[in-house]
Amino acid sequence: MINCTELNPEIPQYSHFGATFIGPLLSFFSNKLATYSQQKNDKLFFLAREGYWLQQAYSEHCSSQEITPNSEYLLVSRAFMFKVMLDDPRSYAYSLDFSFDGTVKELLRTRFMLSNATVTSFFTENELNKIISLPSDIADVERLFTSQQSKLSQIIAPTKQAYLAYLAELGMFELETINFVDVGYSGTIQKLMTILLDKPTIGHYLIASKPGVIEIENQQAKMIGYLKEGKKMGEGYTPLDRSMFLEAILTAPQGQFQDIRVNQLNEDNYDFYFGRKVNAQKYFHDLTQIMNGAVSFVSTASKNAIEYSHDEVEQLLTQYLEKPNMIPRSSHHLFAIDDDVTGNGTVDALQFFGLKQ
């Protein structure tokens, strides 16, 4: 018989790395979220996939403080929201507003996660083979999608009906305001949820590029950045510019959430569908050791009333994100993320930023 511990050995340095690299960040964020939730008595919805570990850290912090963690883990992704709202022209300002070069068929396949059989059965060959460049051709694509709105509604109806039922089971439609938690940064999922639910929302982020309140289809969406506000990608703020490191390590065991359907054998259950796995999911045992160290650090900090300032968290993060050899070589395989929505496939963060030697 094969000994599983030989295939997946415990590596003590993983736990230590998790505690020092991301433990202070999770402690800082969890403390801020708990303070807000206690003051407002609001339920927090942690967005997949990064929310998987964010929620665990938050729950650990609350338990250490003898606070009831009023939260839910919400299956969602940016690409899924693009898909589930494909028949709603109000969503196009968000789903079509970043770069893409290729055919309409490729756009529907990659950004909206529609199968080849689906798109060929609902669109003509001429429509599918039209070459576009986004965002410059956004008006043309909007016109095409709007003209085919009834077809698009047919395509996504099973997914949309199941997802709205799933959200109802989580109690979302009973709440006056919906609170979302994520790493950041532009709040696309929150904005699309504001439209879909037709309710005011609050987004709690580590970093919010455009904080404050905006009006979205007669509802208000508020964004709060607890670590930093008002910084955009490429402006020199390292935790944001190199945020793919956080996205790589703060991930659930499943790949990207892609679809939901009502179970054919039991209408009270759902079938969930996920995309391909990158290394963090393939070697989730390794990642779990790192993150268990980080979550344990959150508990220790909470029990001993240790709090970190913005500056301290930023300084610690910057050390790891800018200097070579700070991230253990044995964990390098975990720092890859999928960037399928933009058509870039898998991106190795260490290689991308020149930290792999």
Side-chain angles (χ1 to χ4, degrees), residues 331-355:
S331 68
H332 281 191
H333 61 293
L334 300 174
F335 288 90
I337 65 168
D338 65 78
D339 197 19
D340 294 335
V341 172
T342 56
N344 292 324
T346 301
V347 180
D348 184 327
L350 286 153
Q351 189 172 32
F352 186 84
F353 289 108
L355 298 182

Side-chain angles (χ1 to χ4, degrees), residues 191-206:
K191 293 167 185 174
L192 291 171
M193 277 289 191
T194 303
I195 298 172
L196 181 66
L197 298 169
D198 192 25
K199 285 179 175 288
T201 62
I202 300 175
H204 304 266
Y205 304 101
L206 277 172

Side-chain angles (χ1 to χ4, degrees), residues 88-142:
D88 190 335
R90 297 175 300 174
S91 71
Y92 300 157
Y94 306 100
S95 60
L96 301 176
D97 193 36
F98 53 99
S99 63
F100 174 85
D101 290 289
T103 65
V104 170
K105 181 179 181 180
E106 291 167 341
L107 178 70
L108 290 167
R109 293 275 288 112
T110 57
R111 187 163 299 181
F112 297 94
M113 299 186 300
L114 299 182
S115 69
N116 188 60
T118 298
V119 298
T120 54
S121 64
F122 281 91
F123 290 90
T124 68
E125 188 174 337
N126 286 339
E127 289 171 338
L128 293 174
N129 290 333
K130 180 179 174 62
I131 297 175
I132 55 171
S133 179
L134 293 176
S136 58
D137 292 333
I138 188 171
D140 292 337
V141 179
E142 284 184 353

Side-chain angles (χ1 to χ4, degrees), residues 33-273:
L33 293 173
T35 299
Y36 175 89
S37 183
Q38 285 292 102
Q39 290 175 347
K40 302 292 184 179
N41 195 30
D42 282 347
K43 188 173 190 175
L44 302 176
F45 290 89
F46 286 76
L47 305 185
R49 284 170 288 178
E50 287 87 340
Y52 181 85
W53 290 109
L54 292 178
Q55 186 191 30
Q56 291 196 37
Y58 171 72
S59 297
E60 191 67 30
H61 172 82
C62 289
S63 296
S64 299
Q65 296 290 315
E66 298 184 352
I67 300 170
T68 301
N70 188 12
S71 68
E72 288 276 0
Y73 180 63
L74 178 65
L75 288 173
V76 70
S77 70
R78 185 174 58 169
F80 175 79
M81 291 302 297
F82 292 163
K83 175 181 180 178
V84 83
M85 299 189 71
L86 185 53
D87 65 340
D88 190 335
R90 297 175 300 174
S91 71
Y92 300 157
Y94 306 100
S95 60
L96 301 176
D97 193 36
F98 53 99
S99 63
F100 174 85
D101 290 289
T103 65
V104 170
K105 181 179 181 180
E106 291 167 341
L107 178 70
L108 290 167
R109 293 275 288 112
T110 57
R111 187 163 299 181
F112 297 94
M113 299 186 300
L114 299 182
S115 69
N116 188 60
T118 298
V119 298
T120 54
S121 64
F122 281 91
F123 290 90
T124 68
E125 188 174 337
N126 286 339
E127 289 171 338
L128 293 174
N129 290 333
K130 180 179 174 62
I131 297 175
I132 55 171
S133 179
L134 293 176
S136 58
D137 292 333
I138 188 171
D140 292 337
V141 179
E142 284 184 353
R143 279 193 293 270
L144 173 62
F145 285 1
T146 302
S147 69
Q148 305 294 347
Q149 196 168 339
S150 61
K151 292 181 182 179
L152 295 172
S153 293
Q154 285 181 264
I155 291 172
I156 66 169
T159 293
K160 196 165 196 173
Q161 291 167 7
Y163 196 61
L164 289 173
Y166 164 71
L167 296 179
E169 286 192 6
L170 294 180
M172 280 198 174
F173 293 101
E174 300 170 9
L175 300 172
E176 291 184 6
T177 301
I178 316 297
N179 287 264
F180 297 115
V181 179
D182 201 0
V183 175
Y185 307 92
S186 60
T188 301
I189 292 176
Q190 178 193 348
K191 293 167 185 174
L192 291 171
M193 277 289 191
T194 303
I195 298 172
L196 181 66
L197 298 169
D198 192 25
K199 285 179 175 288
T201 62
I202 300 175
H204 304 266
Y205 304 101
L206 277 172
I207 304 168
S209 296
K210 294 182 178 180
V213 179
I214 60 172
E215 195 84 12
I216 300 178
E217 302 299 331
N218 299 317
Q219 293 290 356
Q220 288 189 336
K222 181 179 180 180
M223 294 185 67
I224 305 170
Y226 290 95
L227 185 62
K228 184 68 72 175
E229 292 186 332
K231 289 292 184 180
K232 296 180 181 179
M233 192 74 74
E235 290 184 345
Y237 183 61
T238 299
L240 175 57
D241 290 348
R242 303 197 172 190
S243 57
M244 68 171 68
F245 283 94
L246 301 180
E247 294 170 20
I249 204 168
L250 289 172
T251 191
Q254 306 90 0
Q256 181 189 58
F257 176 58
Q258 294 193 343
D259 209 348
I260 178 175
R261 297 295 174 94
V262 174
N263 186 282
Q264 295 298 306
L265 300 178
N266 186 345
E267 293 185 355
D268 293 329
N269 292 332
Y270 303 102
D271 294 325
F272 300 104
Y273 300 89

